[in-house]
Amino acid sequence: MAEREQLASRLGFILVSAGCAIGLGNVWRFPYITGRYGGAAFVIVYLIFLAIMGLPIMVCEFAMGRASRRNLAGAMLVLEPPGTKWHIYGYLGVLGNMILMMFYTTVTGWGLAYTYHTAVGDLARLSTEEVGNFFGSFISNTPELTMWMALVVIIGFLVCSIGLRTGVERITKILMSGLFLLLIVLMVRSVTLPGAEKGLAFYLKPDFSKLSWEAVYAAMSQAFFTLSLGIGSMLIFGSYLSKERTLAGESVYVIILDTLVALMSGMVIFPACFAFGVDAGAGPGLIFVTLPNVFNSMTGGRIWGTLFFVFIFFAALTTVIAVFEHLVAFAMDEWKWSRKKASYIGIIIMFIASLPCGLGFGPWSGFHPFGNGTVVLDLEDFIVSFNLLPIGSLIFVLFCTSKYGWGWDNFIREANTGIGPKFPEGLRGYMTYVLPLIIAVVLIMGYIQFFG
């Protein structure tokens, strides 16, 4: 068996893993959910759930990857006891990566398109209503939507084709450095706007009177979904990791970076929204409808708007590259394809698979999978976010703790190999009985919320 590729550095591993976790969930979903559920009090609950739920599941994924040196499907096949069928989910999880990208490439294309349209001034001088109409006409323009999606697919797979170290690791380091630099510049601009202090107070001063059970569940689900756990997106980078350091410490660094981007995004969005009297809980339209109006009201708004959408694109592209890498690794491990062959064929397959999402806003807009107002994107998101992520995470935890799976002893030995903070062995009871219950609550409440 050929020796497994490894990432060049520890920093590379942390940035690539964080890049996978950092995406539209941080810079789009997190700010508007925080706005909806009362600001800082919501953020505190969110951080608690990251620690008690996100961290242990991430350690499970990294441990399975490092112990097996394979993609998700191969990992479960290698690690499962003889005669068991855990690996069936492994193949489903890899398919989940594909389904995630079927809509994520389109939305990443929106970020790239808005970078262009903002830079050339297409959004400048539009009224509030016209900005909303611009977004509506943009997403129903199927040829344009398809072009931006195709660009994202080509960029993502070309990065993977260059190599693990020279492509995925090197380009992600550049994107992550650019992302943090843009965030700092945008944050400084936002907090110095007249009236920004009201937004900062809302965001940073906890008001626990606004906390409800609905807000607690929203914090739980956001902590869960932001890390892309459950379909092996993290596992693949564990498979490229050396045994020098323990996995709990590395996971903490990844979660800190992911959380930092989410919190800093709030520092960009809330002061700007309050400075211009805009509703910060305005829903998904916050990024593509509300904020362009804010930029139009600012001095030098076209520059700040362009920088913001470059930041959005970078955040989404790091996730695209990371998930494409898992798909490429699957083809290399299971079918013995070369990296270049897997990447080039991946471009064709992913382009075709991503077409329905774009068509769902145009020629297929009459298809309403969950009733009026829903589109193909909602169906694809439902399959991944409401099913495969929680079910996959539940399976990973059970696999790592059950004697009928890989088992606790094997898991804890792998997790604690190397120098650094050890994963507490005393958490065995929590991991075996309590954590699966918490994940089950996320799954059931997700269904109730979706179909309620």
Side-chain angles (χ1 to χ4, degrees):
M1 188 174 148
E3 193 178 326
R4 187 67 165 177
E5 290 179 275
Q6 286 199 4
L7 292 158
S9 65
R10 182 186 178 204
L11 178 65
F13 164 76
I14 291 167
L15 287 178
V16 168
S17 301
C20 180
I22 293 164
L24 295 170
N26 301 67
V27 299
W28 178 3
R29 195 170 186 264
F30 178 79
Y32 88 75
I33 285 184
T34 304
R36 183 178 295 169
Y37 292 110
F42 171 85
V43 173
I44 291 167
V45 179
Y46 164 73
L47 293 174
I48 291 167
F49 279 116
L50 271 182
I52 66 172
M53 189 170 64
L55 179 63
I57 301 170
M58 185 177 285
V59 175
C60 287
E61 282 209 31
F62 283 150
M64 289 163 63
R66 193 168 73 171
S68 65
R69 297 289 183 206
R70 300 281 289 278
N71 66 87
L72 173 57
M76 299 194 89
L77 199 56
V78 167
L79 302 176
E80 70 184 6
T84 57
K85 302 293 182 187
W86 293 90
H87 65 275
I88 292 171
Y89 179 74
Y91 290 98
L92 272 177
V94 173
L95 183 62
N97 283 269
M98 182 99 175
I99 298 168
L100 171 64
M101 288 296 106
M102 283 164 65
F103 64 90
Y104 208 93
T105 49
T106 295
V107 182
T108 304
W110 295 357
L112 185 55
Y114 263 63
T115 301
Y116 166 77
H117 286 302
T118 307
V120 299
D122 289 345
L123 292 159
R125 294 178 299 279
L126 294 184
S127 69
T128 304
E129 192 181 334
E130 285 169 340
V131 169
N133 292 339
F134 181 90
F135 180 65
S137 61
F138 164 69
I139 61 170
S140 59
N141 183 342
T142 306
E144 185 183 359
L145 222 56
T146 304
M147 180 196 74
W148 293 114
M149 175 273 284
L151 264 177
V152 170
V153 171
I154 291 165
I155 292 167
F157 274 117
L158 283 182
V159 169
C160 293
S161 75
I162 297 167
L164 179 67
R165 292 185 176 191
T166 51
V168 174
E169 184 174 358
R170 187 165 59 91
I171 300 297
T172 302
K173 278 181 177 176
I174 293 166
L175 288 172
M176 290 290 285
S177 304
L179 186 140
F180 275 102
L181 191 64
L182 285 166
L183 252 183
I184 290 164
V185 170
L186 288 164
M187 203 167 70
V188 169
R189 178 67 193 111
S190 191
V191 299
T192 53
L193 288 167
E197 64 280 354
K198 290 177 190 165
L200 285 173
F202 170 80
Y203 189 45
L204 301 176
K205 230 154 92 182
D207 179 2
F208 290 100
S209 68
K210 291 184 179 174
L211 268 189
S212 61
W213 282 112
E214 188 185 345
V216 170
Y217 168 70
M220 187 194 294
S221 63
Q222 176 64 16
F224 187 82
F225 296 131
T226 185
L227 299 174
S228 302
L229 299 167
I231 54 174
S233 306
M234 290 293 166
L235 179 147
I236 196 60
F237 296 109
S239 80
Y240 298 136
L241 188 60
S242 76
K243 305 251 184 190
E244 289 174 9
R245 303 194 73 88
T246 59
L247 297 174
E250 307 304 85
S251 300
V252 167
Y253 282 118
V254 172
I255 288 174
I256 285 172
L257 279 181
D258 177 76
T259 308
L260 197 59
V261 170
L263 294 175
M264 289 170 74
S265 297
M267 295 281 283
V268 173
I269 289 167
F270 289 110
C273 284
F274 275 79
F276 291 98
V278 167
D279 178 15
L286 180 67
I287 298 296
F288 296 105
V289 178
T290 309
L291 287 173
N293 282 309
V294 169
F295 296 129
N296 282 346
S297 310
M298 289 167 66
T299 308
R302 194 196 292 189
I303 295 167
W304 296 113
T306 303
L307 290 176
F308 179 78
F309 285 112
V310 170
F311 156 65
I312 291 283
F313 174 62
F314 279 10
L317 186 62
T318 55
T319 302
V320 168
I321 292 168
V323 177
F324 281 1
E325 173 60 25
H326 195 180
L327 297 172
V328 167
F330 173 81
M332 290 167 67
D333 289 347
E334 307 305 312
W335 301 332
K336 308 305 175 199
W337 289 5
S338 70
R339 177 173 281 277
K340 282 194 163 32
K341 179 181 177 180
S343 300
Y344 298 154
I345 292 176
I347 290 173
I348 299 163
I349 294 172
M350 199 72 248
F351 172 75
I352 294 167
S354 299
L355 285 173
C357 181
L359 291 168
F361 295 102
W364 294 2
S365 57
F367 172 58
H368 303 297
F370 302 109
N372 282 341
T374 60
V375 289
V376 174
L377 185 150
D378 297 303
L379 175 61
E380 293 169 343
D381 184 33
F382 173 74
I383 293 168
V384 177
S385 300
F386 289 84
N387 291 277
L388 291 176
L389 296 185
I391 290 168
S393 295
L394 182 59
I395 289 171
F396 292 166
V397 171
L398 295 175
F399 185 67
C400 290
T401 56
S402 167
K403 63 180 179 181
Y404 303 107
W406 187 32
W408 176 263
D409 292 341
N410 290 323
F411 160 70
I412 203 73
R413 190 184 308 118
E414 184 61 51
N416 288 340
T417 296
I419 57 169
K422 306 288 185 192
F423 191 84
E425 293 193 39
L427 288 180
R428 182 174 187 171
Y430 170 77
M431 290 276 287
T432 307
Y433 303 108
V434 180
L435 185 56
L437 272 177
I438 295 174
I439 299 168
V441 167
V442 172
L443 178 63
I444 294 162
M445 290 293 289
Y447 266 78
I448 291 168
Q449 189 182 58
F450 195 86
F451 292 109

